[in-house]
Amino acid sequence: MASISADSVDLLLESFNSKVKNVIDDIAPVKVSKTTGRQKSCWRKSTAVQSMKRQCRKAERMWRKMKLEIHYSIYKDSLHAFSVELATARQKFFSNLINSNLNNTRTLFATVERLTNPPSKIIEKVVFNQLNNYLNSNGYLDNFQSGFRPHHSTETALVKIINDIRLNSDSCKISVLVLLDLSAAFDTVDHNILLERLENWVGLSGMALNWFRSYLEGRGYYVSIGEHKSKWTSMTCRVPQGLILAPLLFSLYMLPLSQIMRKNQIAYHSYADDTQIYLALSPNDYSPFDSLCQCIDEINSWMCQNFLQLNKEKTEVIAFGSKEEVLKVNAYLDSRGQTTKNQVRNLGVILESDLSFSSHVKAVTKSAYYHLKNIARIRCFVSSQDLEKLVHAFITSRVDYCNGLLTGLPKKTIRQLQLIQNAAARILTRTRKSEHITPVLRSLHWLPQTNPRKGIRGANGEFLGRADEEHSVVHHENPIGMTEDFPS
């Protein structure tokens, strides 16, 4: 048996370690990352604050262990005392910082910035609430603007429009609806014009107006690709859609637009940057269409002056009424250079000339069954609670969207939505097709689609009541929330 020297063992061990290290480096290479722990504020390190914190933790542990009311009261008192001591220490820290830097303006400005600049979203929310309350109390908001307002939605906008169209049909009139499309509306809002709206149309002045000026101005952007950056460019327009104030500011920017429709006696309704204008035509009397064309021209001119762009290629026109009259109106509009359609999509709902909503129901049915098929595939892997959330997120939300518009439709059309609901209920409860569905729907507290009025659902989707128990907005002379009328 050959002997192995100590040097040979060391060489073999070194070779083994080297090879193992190479294998580990290939599988899990070492990566260096810097971790910066969040340091405690200086005032939290004081002896008094630390002592009060220890007492508060001790009282909390005792309460969680004993579960007695007396210990809970002691814990609340300790927590209050700790909060008071922490606020006192914080105030003392900044007071000493200011007194020791009375001649150092840079430190003073940085300190003030630190104290007066909490998270921007909180400030935006406070300003939004104050501005919104001011606008509502003084009646500055447009009554026919449903975007981003309490108790308004795409459904209230569509209900108002469809209600007016049906009233025109009851009067044997034809309705012409024009869907105006704006290109990148939020990105082209001019800051100077917006400030002028706030000052002259809304009545802001002084500190309030200066706050909005500082809020809008001084913004900029640059393009970064790898280690290369472009020059910083200041922004003179755009209200970013991610900001809380952006939708409200855009609505104020569009305030003068309503005067154009009122002047030309054209009915309208808006949801954010989606504006719909419409008018009624008597059979064989198409003279009001001249006012509509003039209104569109004035709208286009106003938008050019305010740095907005009306996308004429995506602007759609559709006529509603009897089939014979609609064909006549379409022929007349085509002669005037206006291309009409028999079907348009408005705020997520497909509208047809006869208001049958058959295409909309068909689209909802196709989408819902697609998602139901996917949900059925994974129901074995998720809990019943999670499965119910998926059904409400992908199915119920689609079936219930703007279902107030479906009131009065034939049962044949509504039955297609009912079948979707039945299928969703069977998947959710694992009910066989041979079993009756009515008890299942009742156990889930789901309102049948045969009565397509909006229901109020709880956090888990259970039906809590009908939204129309107090108000009815469909096919009424003055729908809820619509305080003005236009000649038709």
Side-chain angles (χ1 to χ4, degrees):
M1 182 174 178
S3 62
I4 302 176
S5 63
D7 293 339
S8 300
V9 172
D10 292 339
L11 291 174
L12 289 173
L13 180 61
E14 183 179 352
S15 176
F16 174 77
N17 290 336
S18 176
K19 291 180 179 179
V20 171
K21 182 178 181 297
N22 292 335
V23 171
I24 294 176
D25 288 341
D26 290 338
I27 298 174
V30 177
K31 292 185 178 180
V32 180
S33 61
K34 296 181 180 179
T35 57
T36 56
R38 184 178 180 182
Q39 297 182 354
K40 292 183 178 180
S41 304
C42 297
W43 55 87
R44 288 182 175 271
K45 299 178 182 179
S46 66
T47 305
V49 171
Q50 292 292 329
S51 176
M52 293 298 299
K53 184 177 180 180
R54 285 193 294 269
Q55 294 181 20
C56 185
R57 292 296 189 189
K58 183 179 179 181
E60 182 185 6
R61 288 193 296 270
M62 181 60 69
W63 167 62
R64 295 188 182 278
K65 179 180 179 181
M66 306 301 295
K67 298 294 183 180
L68 296 177
E69 188 67 26
I70 182 64
H71 291 117
Y72 179 65
S73 299
I74 295 174
Y75 167 58
K76 286 200 303 182
D77 294 340
S78 301
L79 184 62
H80 176 71
F82 169 69
S83 301
V84 172
E85 184 62 35
L86 184 63
T88 303
R90 184 175 184 269
Q91 182 179 3
K92 184 178 179 180
F93 170 80
F94 282 106
S95 178
N96 293 335
L97 183 63
I98 292 173
N99 291 330
S100 60
N101 291 277
L102 292 176
N103 297 323
N104 189 340
T105 56
R106 176 174 294 183
T107 303
L108 291 177
F109 275 115
T111 303
V112 173
E113 177 75 12
R114 184 177 176 182
L115 289 171
T116 60
N117 191 26
S120 60
K121 292 292 183 182
I122 299 177
I123 296 181
E124 276 194 78
K125 188 65 176 178
V126 172
V127 174
F128 173 84
N129 291 333
Q130 292 182 355
L131 179 61
N132 200 40
N133 292 335
Y134 169 76
L135 295 172
N136 287 323
S137 60
N138 291 276
Y140 286 126
L141 292 174
D142 188 358
N143 290 327
F144 296 98
Q145 171 61 263
S146 295
F148 312 106
R149 296 177 62 185
H151 313 298
H152 292 71
S153 64
T154 54
E155 184 166 11
T156 60
L158 287 170
V159 163
K160 171 63 170 64
I161 296 171
I162 299 303
N163 183 75
D164 289 345
I165 292 174
R166 283 175 171 163
L167 289 175
N168 292 335
S169 298
D170 291 344
S171 302
C172 299
K173 294 183 179 181
I174 304 96
S175 301
V176 177
L177 173 66
V178 181
L179 307 178
L180 302 178
D181 183 82
L182 300 182
S183 300
F186 281 76
D187 295 335
T188 56
V189 172
D190 185 80
H191 293 168
N192 292 328
I193 297 178
L194 178 57
L195 291 171
E196 185 269 336
R197 299 273 195 277
L198 294 173
E199 182 177 8
N200 298 328
W201 285 76
V202 178
L204 298 186
S205 62
M207 186 180 297
L209 184 63
N210 290 333
W211 187 92
F212 278 99
R213 181 173 284 107
S214 65
Y215 174 80
L216 294 171
E217 296 177 350
R219 297 180 181 271
Y221 67 94
Y222 65 89
V223 179
S224 176
I225 302 177
E227 298 179 354
H228 304 280
K229 295 181 180 179
S230 65
K231 293 182 179 180
W232 180 270
T233 304
S234 17
M235 296 174 57
T236 59
C237 61
R238 188 174 185 259
V239 283
Q241 290 182 266
L243 301 181
I244 296 175
L245 283 169
L248 183 58
L249 292 177
F250 180 80
S251 298
L252 298 178
Y253 191 83
M254 299 289 288
L255 278 178
L257 185 63
S258 61
Q259 290 188 346
I260 299 176
M261 276 80 84
R262 297 175 192 273
K263 184 185 71 172
N264 291 280
Q265 296 186 335
I266 300 296
Y268 74 98
H269 206 100
S270 301
Y271 186 88
D273 58 337
D274 293 315
T275 301
Q276 296 108 111
I277 60 177
Y278 53 100
L279 83 166
L281 301 175
S282 299
N284 301 320
D285 181 16
Y286 304 149
S287 57
F289 187 73
D290 295 333
S291 299
L292 181 63
C293 293
Q294 181 179 350
C295 181
I296 295 176
D297 292 338
E298 292 182 11
I299 290 174
N300 191 31
S301 176
W302 180 86
M303 288 187 175
C304 291
Q305 295 172 5
N306 290 271
F307 302 100
L308 298 173
Q309 183 178 359
L310 181 63
N311 193 337
K312 294 184 178 181
E313 294 182 357
K314 292 186 178 181
T315 296
E316 298 177 314
V317 182
I318 184 173
F320 300 93
S322 63
K323 186 176 181 180
E324 296 77 10
E325 294 297 333
V326 167
L327 291 175
K328 293 179 182 179
V329 171
N330 289 345
Y332 175 78
L333 296 180
D334 288 340
S335 66
R336 296 288 299 269
Q338 293 289 343
T339 303
T340 58
K341 294 186 176 181
N342 295 322
Q343 177 180 300
V344 296
R345 181 181 290 274
N346 187 15
L347 298 178
V349 175
I350 300 176
L351 303 178
E352 299 157 307
S353 296
D354 56 358
L355 288 181
S356 64
F357 291 98
S358 58
S359 296
H360 175 71
V361 172
K362 183 178 179 180
V364 171
T365 302
K366 181 179 179 180
S367 176
Y369 278 124
Y370 170 79
H371 290 291
L372 270 178
K373 184 178 179 181
N374 292 333
I375 291 174
R377 289 176 176 175
I378 64 172
R379 66 178 177 178
C380 298
F381 307 104
V382 296
S383 63
S384 299
Q385 293 81 4
D386 293 335
L387 190 66
E388 186 174 4
K389 292 177 182 177
L390 291 175
V391 168
H392 289 311
F394 291 99
I395 309 303
T396 309
S397 61
R398 285 174 167 80
V399 174
D400 282 353
Y401 179 70
C402 291
N403 63 356
L405 301 173
L406 308 181
T407 300
L409 293 184
K411 292 183 178 180
K412 180 181 178 181
T413 303
I414 302 300
R415 177 168 171 74
Q416 299 179 49
L417 301 178
Q418 185 61 56
L419 293 177
I420 297 174
Q421 190 180 54
N422 295 351
R426 294 186 189 280
I427 291 175
L428 185 59
T429 59
R430 292 174 168 81
T431 304
R432 297 178 180 177
K433 291 184 179 181
S434 58
E435 298 180 30
H436 207 281
I437 195 62
T438 301
V440 178
L441 295 177
R442 188 179 293 114
S443 66
L444 293 172
H445 302 283
W446 286 7
L447 184 68
Q449 292 299 317
T450 52
N451 186 9
R453 291 177 287 179
K454 186 65 71 176
I456 302 173
R457 299 184 181 273
N460 296 322
E462 69 274 13
F463 178 70
L464 302 180
R466 287 177 183 160
D468 60 349
E469 287 179 346
E470 297 182 2
H471 304 295
S472 177
V473 297
V474 180
H475 216 65
H476 192 276
E477 289 294 340
N478 187 20
I480 297 299
M482 314 307 168
T483 58
E484 298 184 36
D485 212 350
F486 284 90
S488 57

